[in-house]
Amino acid sequence: MDKMFNAFLVHEREDEFVGSWEQVSMPSLSANEVLIRVIYSSLNYKDALSASGNKGVTRHYPHVPGIDAAGIVVQSRSNEWPVGSNVIVTGFDLGMNTWGGFGQYIRVPSAWVLRLPSGATLRMAMCMGTAGLTAAISINKLIQAGIVPESGPVAVSGATGGVGSIALAILAKLGYQTTAISGKTDTDFLTKELGATQVVERNEFIRIHEGKAISKTEFSAAIDTVGGTVLSGLLKATQYGGSVTCCGMVNSSELHTSIFPFILRGINLFGVDSVSIPMNLRRDLWDKLLTEWYPVNMDHLVSEITSDELSNNLHQLLSGQAKGRFILKHEAGSSVDQS
């Protein structure tokens, strides 16, 4: 089958990586069991890295980024996924070394596919995407560690980014007080839209805690999305028996800290991975994300973009200028034989 479809294809040209929308053929896709027409994708920091040629994310080019996809099964060699199924694919190798959601079609292993929860829409799923799943894993770890709304404020770093903004909105819906840590000064967005109880400017937070082995306690727990000196400060300022989750490295992949938060306060540090989590947990968290955890004002946190806007929005993500979430809606794909 040599049908053509549109995809955002990134080429490596000498020392430069250039992405543009092109017509590509179905045989270009991996030879996996399930062919999906992508209706929505979403934009993530990892997509921006892939589109800019980061070989730690994507080894071989040309490549179609997009670690998230929601769409409709149009061909299947798996009895589990009949044609017409509404499905979600996030994580695994999608958009990294397997062509991803920035194309109108993806072909993936059946084990990567998740059924869209009843009552949810494909758009809702991509409003959440990997960012929402990562936030959900983080919150779930805190809940399992015994952090409840009565425990005290929960800090969230990178608060205007994809993971941070969704984490704040979910925590607010669940009744937690939150402290947003951000390098941006849009206090109204953080408090009125995301429900943050208070806002702390990132550089001020770093200044207060940098150079100390341990700090005065401020938080019952924290969700860190940026790493580096911010993560170090959160560990120092978390109360006895508290927990901190770590899922990102926009600030730095380095962590310089003493052991005092761990041996004097019994702090837990949880790593968060949304790529390879077990399917049963993935399914449970998606059910929560798209039902009782889904923020009532989610549409205010999301900007729907067209293909013409994709390059610019990826640049915003890479430079740390993005606010909230971006989702990409594909135009109708070319017809495919449903067999």
Side-chain angles (χ1 to χ4, degrees):
M1 182 175 60
D2 199 22
K3 300 285 187 180
M4 305 295 289
F5 65 95
N6 290 326
F8 186 77
L9 196 62
V10 180
H11 294 270
E12 182 176 7
R13 294 172 180 161
E14 298 180 352
D15 294 330
E16 188 178 17
F17 291 83
V18 180
S20 62
W21 288 94
E22 301 179 24
Q23 285 266 299
V24 297
S25 65
M26 289 290 176
S28 300
L29 297 173
S30 301
N32 293 309
E33 300 95 347
V34 184
L35 180 67
I36 299 166
R37 180 164 69 88
V38 180
I39 307 299
Y40 288 99
S41 184
S42 71
L43 279 62
N44 300 275
Y45 184 66
K46 191 177 286 186
D47 298 321
L49 291 175
S50 176
S52 64
N54 187 301
K55 293 297 181 74
V57 176
T58 301
R59 294 188 299 272
H60 304 293
Y61 293 82
H63 176 66
V64 179
I67 64 172
D68 292 343
I72 303 167
V73 175
V74 294
Q75 284 185 354
S76 177
R77 300 197 304 272
S78 168
N79 292 332
E80 188 176 1
W81 302 111
V83 170
S85 301
N86 289 326
V87 296
I88 307 167
V89 184
T90 66
F92 302 101
D93 190 51
L94 185 70
M96 296 176 65
N97 296 289
T98 302
W99 282 16
F102 294 171
Q104 291 177 310
Y105 289 89
I106 57 173
R107 188 181 281 122
V108 298
S110 60
W112 293 8
V113 183
L114 184 77
R115 185 166 282 104
L116 182 73
S118 177
T121 67
L122 296 172
R123 189 182 191 280
M124 287 172 63
M126 287 298 95
C127 286
M128 288 295 187
T130 288
L133 181 59
T134 304
I137 298 168
S138 302
I139 292 168
N140 190 59
K141 285 183 179 291
L142 296 186
I143 291 173
Q144 289 185 327
I147 305 299
V148 296
E150 294 74 25
S151 300
V154 177
V156 178
S157 68
T160 61
V163 178
S165 61
I166 294 176
L168 279 172
I170 293 173
L171 288 167
K173 186 172 185 181
L174 297 179
Y176 288 83
Q177 291 188 321
T178 54
T179 298
I181 299 171
S182 176
K184 300 183 178 68
T185 57
D186 193 346
T187 302
D188 282 350
F189 176 69
L190 291 164
T191 56
K192 294 178 181 178
E193 297 290 348
L194 301 179
T197 311
Q198 65 173 343
V199 178
V200 177
E201 199 277 328
R202 181 185 59 211
N203 289 333
E204 178 65 10
F205 178 82
I206 293 171
R207 185 193 65 78
I208 291 170
H209 299 287
E210 198 167 25
K212 296 181 179 179
I214 199 163
S215 300
K216 178 182 176 181
T217 59
E218 299 179 52
F219 317 114
S220 67
I223 294 174
D224 176 63
T225 73
V226 299
T229 51
V230 175
L231 175 56
S232 177
L234 290 170
L235 291 169
K236 297 171 188 178
T238 297
Q239 69 190 25
Y240 188 89
S243 297
V244 178
T245 67
C246 170
C247 68
M249 57 178 190
V250 176
N251 179 239
S252 173
S253 62
E254 300 288 330
L255 174 60
H256 301 285
T257 188
S258 75
I259 65 170
F260 291 121
F262 304 103
I263 66 172
L264 297 182
R265 291 185 181 154
I267 301 301
N268 301 302
L269 177 58
F270 295 120
V272 171
D273 164 61
S274 62
V275 173
S276 303
I277 65 168
M279 185 55 81
N280 60 339
L281 177 58
R282 185 187 297 261
R283 186 178 297 111
D284 289 345
L285 291 177
W286 270 110
D287 285 342
K288 285 187 171 69
L289 275 173
L290 297 178
T291 55
E292 69 259 37
W293 284 11
Y294 196 81
V296 294
N297 65 337
M298 193 66 199
D299 279 346
H300 296 171
L301 313 181
V302 175
S303 299
E304 185 174 309
I305 67 168
T306 64
S307 57
D308 291 339
E309 300 171 285
L310 179 61
S311 290
N312 182 58
N313 287 119
L314 287 171
H315 178 73
Q316 287 184 36
L317 281 168
L318 196 62
S319 62
Q321 299 303 308
K323 184 178 74 172
R325 294 276 291 148
F326 298 105
I327 60 172
L328 171 68
K329 184 177 182 180
H330 286 287
E331 298 175 357
S334 56
S335 61
V336 176
D337 296 331
Q338 296 188 354
S339 57

